[in-house]
Amino acid sequence: MQLALAPMEGLVDDGLRALLTGIGGIDWCVSEFIRINDSLLPASSFLRLAPELAKGSVTPSGTPMRVQLLGSDPHCVADNAAFAATLGAPVIDLNFGCPAKTVNKSKGGAVLLKEPELLHAIVSAVRRALPAQIPVTAKMRLGFDHADDAETCAQALADGGAASIVVHARTKADGYKPPAYWERIGSIRDAVKVPVYANGEIWTVDDWRRCRSLSGVDDVMLGRGLIARPDLARQIAAVRDGRVIEPMRWLELLPLVEGYWHRVRAKVSHPKYAPGVLKQWLVWLARSYPEAERLFLDIRSLSDADEVERRLAASASVL
């Protein structure tokens, strides 16, 4: 059974990938999507969103990272996939699941699920462009407006050469509203001959158990649930392996939050942008940790990075 960390645009950057994979339980992760339009991108475009390429395509803990591409022109996506392979990408993942309006309007992400033939063409072109040892994988939703063609879309991806498929168990129209329709993943699994990963609404170990039961799928990709509970993959891996492990306490997580904050400060183009990045993560952590909610409320109105750092240090001193 494999546990993967989902790509989340604007949130799961290389810093958060490093932090989450360092906690443990994650078998592989995926870069934020690299948007492909009508040209061959320079190396800098790949390295900006997937800097692990320069370090063996693994996070500091050694967790493999796949490069995700998003685009609709088979030839352009294929050319960029081939170039990414020369930069060290060990796997090329294709995004057919992003529900963002701006992405869909430019014919990317989930809107492509309306055209199974195009899905097949894109995957086929990428497969032909890559060396045989570099797999092509894909991430999809159940559909755009409806899920009637979910199996057809998955078959198009598999027949085109996708080595595995992650299925977010909602349509684009569903967005991120509960529930996720895990039972539909089972019918997709039965429709293809490649591994299928379940994704969507897995916030706890109990959610994982229910998802596994309803979908019949062992492999899972964790997204928002892992952002909100950073040791979720480690907890699931422990249950999978028959081990007992205590959930991570805030006292253990706070030093990691501080380390992430310092990394954000060093990376942003201007200090004023750093507080927003930290607040974004704290909002998710507040689902699992009351202490994260208190810290968020304490810094919510702050835009000065130095003051945020003082508040963060003060919160640690009272533990």
Side-chain angles (χ1 to χ4, degrees), residues 36-37 70-77 96 106-109 112 118 122:
I36 308 301
N37 291 315
L70 180 148
S72 59
D73 183 294
H75 300 296
C76 288
V77 176
F96 303 115
S106 60
K107 205 171 183 181
L112 296 173
L118 183 54
I122 294 169

Side-chain angles (χ1 to χ4, degrees), residues 25-306:
I26 300 169
D27 294 296
W28 51 270
C29 60
V30 189
S31 73
E32 297 173 83
F33 69 71
I34 298 168
R35 191 189 298 258
I36 308 301
N37 291 315
D38 57 358
S39 62
L40 184 65
L41 296 176
S44 58
S45 294
F46 291 89
L47 291 168
R48 180 174 63 84
L49 291 175
E52 293 96 334
L53 284 169
K55 300 175 182 178
S57 293
V58 296
T59 68
S61 63
T63 303
M65 180 214 63
R66 303 179 179 188
V67 172
Q68 186 177 86
L69 305 182
L70 180 148
S72 59
D73 183 294
H75 300 296
C76 288
V77 176
D79 287 346
N80 280 277
F83 182 51
T86 68
L87 297 176
V91 179
I92 297 297
D93 188 63
L94 300 174
N95 183 320
F96 303 115
C98 180
K101 289 182 179 180
T102 53
V103 170
N104 294 164
K105 283 182 179 179
S106 60
K107 205 171 183 181
V111 72
L112 296 173
L113 297 171
K114 293 181 175 183
E115 303 180 61
E117 299 84 359
L118 183 54
L119 297 180
H120 183 275
I122 294 169
V123 177
S124 297
V126 172
R127 178 63 277 165
R128 289 192 300 269
L130 292 174
Q133 73 274 15
I134 297 181
V136 180
T137 60
K139 189 169 190 284
M140 61 174 280
R141 282 179 171 248
L142 295 179
F144 191 80
D145 298 309
H146 56 76
D148 296 349
D149 301 322
E151 291 79 10
T152 300
C153 288
Q155 288 169 340
L157 297 174
D159 292 347
S164 64
I165 302 170
V166 174
V167 180
H168 183 118
R170 284 179 280 226
T171 65
K172 186 274 181 190
D174 293 329
Y176 292 97
K177 298 189 301 289
Y181 300 97
W182 296 324
E183 64 279 0
R184 285 303 305 273
I185 298 175
S187 64
I188 292 172
R189 175 207 59 197
D190 295 340
V192 298
K193 297 180 180 179
V194 299
V196 171
Y197 287 70
N199 173 237
E201 287 301 302
I202 301 173
W203 299 94
T204 66
V205 172
D206 285 342
D207 289 338
W208 163 72
R209 289 191 178 104
R210 287 192 296 271
C211 176
R212 195 179 186 191
S213 174
L214 286 171
S215 68
V217 169
D218 289 332
D219 301 321
V220 296
M221 174 174 276
L222 304 172
R224 297 176 303 156
L226 191 53
I227 306 305
R229 193 180 299 270
D231 66 330
L232 178 58
R234 190 171 72 180
Q235 290 184 40
I236 293 173
V239 174
R240 173 195 65 191
D241 300 338
R243 295 181 286 110
V244 177
I245 189 168
E246 289 295 322
M248 177 176 277
R249 298 173 299 154
W250 180 250
L251 183 64
E252 300 171 79
L253 180 59
L254 183 55
L256 300 180
V257 174
E258 292 180 295
Y260 176 71
W261 163 251
H262 292 309
R263 186 165 186 157
V264 167
R265 285 203 71 171
K267 182 178 179 179
V268 295
S269 58
H270 192 283
K272 68 180 180 181
Y273 299 124
V277 177
L278 178 61
K279 292 172 194 176
Q280 182 179 215
W281 188 27
L282 288 175
V283 168
W284 289 107
L285 289 176
R287 290 183 62 112
S288 306
Y289 296 95
E291 300 92 340
E293 182 175 17
R294 288 195 291 270
L295 179 56
F296 170 75
L297 292 174
D298 187 38
I299 68 169
R300 178 171 54 181
S301 63
L302 300 178
S303 59
D304 180 77
D306 291 334

